[in-house]
């Protein structure tokens, strides 16, 4: 129950007698959001099944007053971050978050045994659980949190030490599992089990937070257990400030659910993927300000489905497969460092409407960036360095994609390639450093690229203009001498004028009176890479000058 001083403050500001609000309580909450009032939210929606109004709904004035209570309590150092207010027969909840999260249980180690000290008001200071099975002590603490099954909130604080878990720890909805830091609190499996699983894998859980600890052994070099975190149908999970390493399975395994936030984590040296999401993940996997590297048999990050994923400001290096692989749409891969797997591409994305922007991709055995079926996607401002094959490749059904402002340095093969059904794309303002652009598709715009080696155009209807280092526009004057039926003109272009389509871009403009005669261009019979030929319909006794323009 609240202290007497806080109860008086609640009475004074809300104007209710304690007997009319018998369920007023103060509880910890594991979320990051700012405020939730009923099913109206400020900040990000919580989708809280218990946050609701009944017939005796509180007024806006009551809501504001309750917020003042929370702010006053925080300022007074009371560590309050949730106030539940209720009246009458039903419940009405007001939730305020101050960022201070007092523990519901403190778990610590002594002499090989784990002890769980209760911090809830009614049992504060009691050692409620203890034993050599560390997982059982932690789980008993989770299971004892008030209203845990219904969505109540609480935090289990794991003091420094190496916790050995013969079975997974299973947080329920709205529970935080928190350590004292990645160099202080270690939770490691003692068998082939996962380390952390959500409690309800049939119906799923809401708002689980794991933070400030190491999942895996306390020392490097020995692989243990199976997966580090194994979440099935979890909605709104937070994995913050964690190190997850040396697991025999995946660092983080996600199946179903949505809105998984992986923030400020170091996930490395796991046998399988550092972060993995199967095709049933619906949306919103966030990997932000994290390091995911050196997965031993697969890539570092692999999301097989879903949408609106955000891979931002993170580091992906090494590993035995593609460092960043997404089968997704409406997703963003932005401002990451991606380097040096032992096999595969740097970034692989299969799906439309994605943004790949501002990444440094280097030293990949295969192509730096590959997008497949990526219609309407944008690849912008990336640096691709020392790719083992091509710099950037679009393939499959990737029509109307935009590749703009990228820098391609030293790929073994081509700089940029368009294949499959990658039609109507824009390739512009890219720095190719002397490498080629391959266009095997149709109706694309290739222009204003810099230091282009050549454009290998085997499609049709493509517009290729104003690329420095690759001359596709030129003009000049020439003369058909008197008595001659044609003249060969050196065009100075980087492309051979060897097809009717290419020749159609050549304009011939007479500069004098032809006397009813016509001029028309033709493919040079022996050297179209250097010359084109211009015929006059009938020979004349005087010279005829003309202007020619290509492009």
């Amino acid at each position: 129950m609240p202290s007497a001083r806080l109860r008086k403050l609640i009475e004074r500001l809300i104007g209710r007698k304690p007997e009319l609000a018998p369920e007023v309580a103060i509880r910890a909450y594991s979320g990051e959001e700012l405020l939730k009032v009923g099913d109206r939210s400020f900040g990000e929606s919580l989708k809280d099944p218990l946050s609701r109004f009944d017939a005796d709904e509180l007024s806006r004035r009551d809501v504001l007053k309750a917020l003042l209570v929370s702010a006053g309590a925080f300022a007074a150092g009371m560590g309050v971050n949730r106030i539940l207010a209720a009246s009458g027969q039903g419940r009405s909840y007001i939730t305020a978050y101050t960022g201070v999260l007092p523990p519901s249980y403190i778990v610590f180690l002594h002499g090989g045994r784990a002890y769980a000290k209760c911090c809830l008001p009614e049992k504060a200071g009691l050692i409620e659980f203890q034993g050599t099975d560390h997982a059982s002590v932690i789980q008993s603490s989770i299971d004892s949190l008030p209203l845990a099954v219904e969505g109540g909130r609480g935090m289990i604080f794991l003091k420094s030490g190496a916790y050995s878990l013969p079975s997974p720890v299973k947080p329920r909805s709205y529970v935080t599992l928190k350590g004292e830091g990645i160099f202080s609190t270690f939770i490691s499996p003692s068998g082939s089990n996962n380390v952390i699983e959500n409690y309800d894998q049939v119906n799923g859980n809401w708002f689980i937070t794991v933070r400030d600890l190491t999942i895996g052994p306390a020392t490097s070099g020995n692989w243990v257990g199976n997966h580090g975190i194994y979440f099935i149908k979890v909605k709104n999970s937070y994995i913050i400030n964690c190190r997850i390493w040396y697991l025999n399975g995946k660092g983080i395994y996600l199946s179903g659910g949505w809105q998984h936030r992986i923030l400020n984590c170091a996930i490395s040296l796991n046998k399988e993927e550092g972060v993995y999401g199967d095709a049933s993940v619906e949306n919103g996997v966030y990997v932000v300000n994290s390091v995911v590297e050196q997965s031993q048999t697969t890539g570092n990050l692999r999301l097989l489905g879903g949408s609106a994923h955000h891979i931002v400001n993170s580091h992906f290096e090494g590993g035995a497969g593609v460092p960043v692989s997404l089968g997704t749409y409406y997703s963003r891969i932005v401002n990451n460092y991606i380097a040096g797997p032992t096999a595969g591409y740097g970034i692989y994305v299969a799906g439309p409407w994605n943004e790949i922007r501002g990444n440094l991709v280097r030293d990949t055995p295969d192509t730096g960036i590959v997008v497949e079926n990526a219609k309407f996607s944008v690849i912008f401002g990336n640096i691709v360095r020392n790719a083992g094959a091509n710099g950037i490749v679009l393939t499959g059904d990737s029509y109307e994609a935009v590749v703009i402002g990228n820098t391609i340095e030293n790929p073994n093969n081509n700089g940029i390639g368009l294949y499959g059904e990658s039609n109507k794309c824009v390739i512009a303002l890219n720095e190719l450093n002397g490498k080629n652009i391959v266009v095997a598709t149709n109706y694309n715009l290739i222009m204003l690229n810099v230091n282009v080696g050549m454009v290998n155009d085997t499609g049709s209807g493509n517009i290729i203009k104003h690329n420095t280092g690759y001359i596709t526009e030129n003009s000049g004057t020439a003369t058909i001498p008197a008595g001659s039926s044609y003249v060969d003109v050196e065009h100075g272009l980087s492309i051979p004028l060897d097809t009717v389509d290419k020749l159609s871009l050549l304009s011939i403009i007479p500069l004098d009176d032809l006397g009813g005669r016509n001029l028309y261009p033709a493919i040079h019979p022996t050297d179209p890479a250097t010359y084109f030929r211009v015929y006059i319909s009938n020979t004349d006794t005087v010279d005829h000058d003309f202007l020619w323009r290509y492009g």
Side-chain angles (χ1 to χ4, degrees):
M1 294 298 291
S3 69
R5 187 168 71 169
L6 181 58
R7 288 174 62 83
K8 289 179 181 179
L9 184 58
I10 294 173
E11 290 177 41
R12 185 164 67 250
L13 292 179
I14 298 182
R16 295 175 183 268
K17 297 294 184 181
E19 60 269 17
L20 297 180
E23 294 182 37
V24 171
I26 299 170
R27 300 188 188 279
Y29 179 62
S30 62
E32 303 290 326
E33 289 75 19
L34 298 177
L35 171 65
K36 172 79 178 178
V37 180
D39 47 12
R40 295 187 290 274
S41 63
F42 300 83
E44 185 169 346
S45 172
L46 299 178
K47 300 180 180 177
D48 183 349
L50 284 185
S51 294
R52 62 184 183 273
F53 285 125
D54 296 302
D56 56 340
E57 179 173 337
L58 295 176
S59 68
R60 181 179 293 273
R61 178 186 292 263
D62 289 335
V63 169
L64 293 175
K65 288 177 178 179
L67 290 177
L68 288 174
V69 175
S70 178
F74 174 70
M78 300 177 67
V80 178
N81 73 354
R82 186 175 191 228
I83 298 175
L84 304 177
S87 63
Q89 296 301 313
R91 292 176 178 171
S92 298
Y93 288 87
I94 303 171
T95 308
Y97 305 100
T98 67
V100 176
L101 191 64
S104 301
Y105 282 87
I106 296 175
V107 180
F108 61 93
L109 297 174
H110 180 71
R113 298 175 67 85
Y115 298 84
K117 181 172 70 173
C118 184
C119 301
L120 299 174
E122 60 272 18
K123 297 183 289 185
L126 293 179
I127 300 297
E128 196 165 354
F129 309 105
Q130 61 173 291
T132 56
D133 186 336
H134 300 169
S136 177
V137 172
I138 297 170
Q139 191 64 48
S140 296
S141 303
I142 293 170
D143 295 343
S144 297
L145 292 173
L147 300 177
V149 175
E150 297 182 59
R153 298 157 173 86
M155 190 261 276
I156 308 300
F157 181 44
L158 302 180
K159 296 285 285 181
S160 62
Y163 296 82
S164 180
L165 308 182
S167 59
V169 170
K170 299 181 179 181
R172 299 173 182 258
S173 296
Y174 302 91
V175 166
T176 291
L177 194 64
K178 184 182 187 303
E180 285 197 288
I182 64 171
F183 300 112
S184 298
T185 301
F186 305 88
I187 55 174
S188 182
S190 59
S192 60
N193 52 287
N194 300 325
V195 183
I196 297 174
E197 300 178 357
N198 63 299
Y199 187 84
D200 187 349
Q201 298 192 352
V202 176
N203 300 303
N205 292 100
W206 292 79
F207 289 99
I208 294 175
T209 299
V210 179
R211 62 177 303 157
D212 304 320
L213 47 77
T214 287
I215 298 173
T219 57
S220 62
N222 295 310
W223 281 269
V224 296
N226 192 20
H227 306 310
I229 294 177
Y230 186 75
F231 279 172
I232 308 297
K233 298 181 181 178
V234 175
K235 295 91 173 175
N236 293 87
S237 68
Y238 294 81
I239 303 168
I240 306 171
N241 301 335
C242 288
R243 177 171 62 178
I244 305 173
W245 70 341
Y246 285 102
L247 279 309
N248 280 312
K250 307 176 193 305
I252 298 173
Y253 186 117
L254 305 172
S255 178
W258 59 75
Q259 296 296 309
H260 302 283
R261 296 166 177 86
I262 301 166
L263 313 175
N264 303 324
C265 289
I267 305 170
S268 62
L269 293 161
N270 298 291
K271 283 292 182 69
E272 299 177 9
E273 293 90 341
V275 178
Y276 173 86
D278 69 17
S280 67
V281 174
E282 296 185 36
N283 63 66
V285 175
Y286 293 73
V287 180
V288 180
N289 296 336
S290 294
V291 175
V292 187
E293 63 181 0
Q294 303 296 338
S295 299
Q296 300 295 292
T297 60
T298 55
N300 293 314
L301 168 67
R302 189 153 65 109
L303 305 176
L304 301 184
S307 65
H309 304 315
H310 294 257
I311 314 302
V312 180
N313 294 340
S314 292
H315 180 114
F316 302 89
E317 187 168 4
V322 178
V324 176
S325 176
L326 278 69
T328 183
Y329 59 98
Y330 290 129
S331 293
R332 303 173 69 236
I333 303 174
V334 177
N335 296 342
N336 300 286
Y337 176 89
I338 299 166
T342 58
Y345 314 130
I347 296 174
Y348 173 78
V349 177
W353 298 294
N354 295 299
E355 175 188 2
I356 303 172
R357 174 171 58 85
N359 302 284
L360 172 58
V361 182
R362 58 174 296 176
D363 303 323
T364 58
D366 208 309
T367 296
I369 299 174
V370 176
V371 294
E372 184 175 3
N373 300 327
K375 59 184 180 181
F376 310 121
S377 292
V378 175
I379 304 170
F380 170 65
N382 302 281
I383 298 173
V384 181
R385 183 176 295 158
N386 301 329
N390 306 295
I392 298 172
V393 165
L394 280 66
T395 188
D397 185 8
S398 294
Y399 64 86
E400 296 190 37
V402 175
V403 181
I404 186 168
N406 302 281
T407 299
I408 314 296
E409 301 177 1
N410 304 316
N412 277 346
N413 297 332
N414 300 302
I416 297 173
L418 300 180
Y419 303 96
E421 298 297 321
S422 301
N423 302 314
K424 299 182 180 179
C425 296
V426 176
I427 312 296
L429 298 171
N430 300 285
E431 166 64 71
L432 275 295
N433 286 289
K435 291 298 182 176
N436 301 337
I437 298 174
V438 177
V439 185
T441 57
N442 308 318
Y443 309 111
N444 301 286
L445 176 61
I446 315 296
M447 67 182 301
L448 297 175
N449 298 287
V450 180
N451 292 330
V452 179
M454 68 171 292
V455 178
N456 183 3
D457 178 14
T458 60
S460 64
N462 296 302
I463 298 174
I464 303 170
K465 302 186 70 172
H466 307 305
N467 299 285
T468 64
Y470 184 72
I471 301 172
T472 52
E473 301 80 35
N474 209 350
S475 62
T477 58
T479 301
I480 297 181
S484 178
S485 61
Y486 69 88
V487 65
D488 290 334
V489 180
E490 186 172 355
H491 53 65
L493 297 170
S494 298
I495 56 174
L497 299 186
D498 55 357
T499 67
V500 173
D501 281 347
K502 293 177 182 177
L503 203 66
S504 68
L505 299 176
L506 179 64
S507 300
I508 305 295
I509 304 167
L511 296 177
D512 53 35
D513 184 3
L514 296 178
R517 297 171 179 83
N518 297 311
L519 301 178
Y520 58 93
I523 297 171
H524 195 275
T526 60
D527 191 6
T530 306
Y531 302 98
F532 62 90
R533 180 167 287 183
V534 176
Y535 287 93
I536 190 168
S537 55
N538 294 295
T539 60
D540 201 352
T541 58
V542 297
D543 295 347
H544 288 290
D545 299 327
F546 60 90
L547 171 71
W548 65 271
R549 181 179 295 116
Y550 186 86

